[in-house]
Amino acid sequence: MQNNIVHDVCIRELVESDIEFLRLLRNKEENRKNFIYQKEISYEEQLRWYDRYKNTSNDYMYTIISKKDEMPLGFAAIYDVTNNIGEFGRLIVDKTRYTSPGLGKYVLNHLIDISREKLELQRLKLEVFKDNIAAIKVYKFCGFHEYGESTSNGRKIIHMELNI
Ligand SMILES: CC(C)(COP(=O)(O)OP(=O)(O)OC[C@H]1O[C@@H](n2cnc3c(N)ncnc32)[C@H](O)[C@@H]1OP(=O)(O)O)[C@@H](O)C(=O)NCCC(=O)NCCS
């Protein structure tokens, strides 16, 4: 499974020309509902977010690129890095353009490698809505375990971590 994905995609740091793809993918109803901030993001808001992102030294956002057409297929980030601990999040893949299974797991494994080898982190943490079965499967497959729970607007959130 993962062998095919290596031939189909590459992962590189986010650049400004990616952010409109990110905004449109993030704004889809089926994706928005899985993030804490669920409102639609305007073009101007996205530009302001990118300006802040560029000026934040402990936020690392990555773009998954299709080798076929060199267009973005998804995104993921490691952010709020302090004391060798980082938060994993903003994972999103365009299932309409990449229909084979396994991309979510491939991306997370790749970012775990970056966390260990480049960022020299010792632990990754994340939060996920308890009803987001696909994401939880990805996180558990990559070794994350649950260590707590909270609630946001009546929806349960699971807190997970991975020592790397
Ligand atoms: C979460 C997400 C990145 C997973 O990407 P993906 O490429 O589908 O991930 P994978 O194919 O590696 O694995 C997904 C697993 O969930 C399963 N799955 C997918 N949709 C599912 C559903 N609706 N119900 C139950 N299981 C589901 C898949 O079968 C697979 O399970 P398997 O390992 O047993 O085969 C993708 O669904 C997505 O972009 N979701 C919207 C944004 C989001 O929720 N981000 C996470 C926020 S915390």
Side-chain angles (χ1 to χ4, degrees), residues 8 25 31 47 53 56 61 81 102 119 122 137 140 164:
D8 295 341
L25 187 59
N31 294 328
L47 282 181
Y53 165 74
T56 307
M61 181 110 189
V81 172
L119 306 177
Q122 289 166 357
K137 279 189 175 179
K140 287 191 170 162
I164 52 181

Side-chain angles (χ1 to χ4, degrees), residues 34-154:
N34 292 312
F35 293 94
I36 305 265
Y37 185 78
Q38 296 185 352
K39 293 190 188 137
E40 279 199 61
I41 298 166
S42 68
Y43 181 79
E44 292 73 23
E45 271 179 286
Q46 186 74 340
L47 282 181
R48 283 197 294 274
W49 169 81
Y50 184 67
D51 266 348
R52 283 197 305 277
Y53 165 74
K54 267 191 317 192
N55 293 310
T56 307
S57 60
N58 63 348
D59 192 329
Y60 307 88
M61 181 110 189
Y62 296 89
T63 306
I64 305 136
I65 299 285
S66 162
K67 288 186 182 171
K68 200 157 60 180
D69 57 12
E70 298 192 352
M71 303 298 255
L73 278 175
F75 301 88
I78 299 152
Y79 55 98
D80 286 350
V81 172
T82 24
N83 298 328
N84 299 100
I85 301 173
E87 189 85 17
F88 175 81
R90 306 187 202 132
L91 172 66
I92 187 164
V93 301
D94 188 346
K95 299 298 285 181
T96 63
R97 291 189 46 242
Y98 194 84
T99 51
S100 308
L103 186 56
K105 295 185 197 101
Y106 178 79
V107 172
L108 177 52
N109 274 326
H110 190 86
L111 263 67
I112 291 170
D113 288 346
I114 290 175
S115 300
R116 186 189 301 113
E117 287 154 25
K118 189 173 160 208
L119 306 177
E120 299 182 343
L121 302 187
Q122 289 166 357
R123 194 186 318 152
L124 280 174
K125 301 201 294 184
L126 63 81
E127 293 179 10
V128 56
F129 282 116
K130 196 170 187 167
D131 57 16
N132 192 347
I133 308 295
I136 292 169
K137 279 189 175 179
V138 169
Y139 301 150
K140 287 191 170 162
F141 177 89
C142 294
F144 278 81
H145 71 269
E146 198 177 323
Y147 71 91
E149 263 192 24
S150 59
T151 306
S152 170
N153 290 327

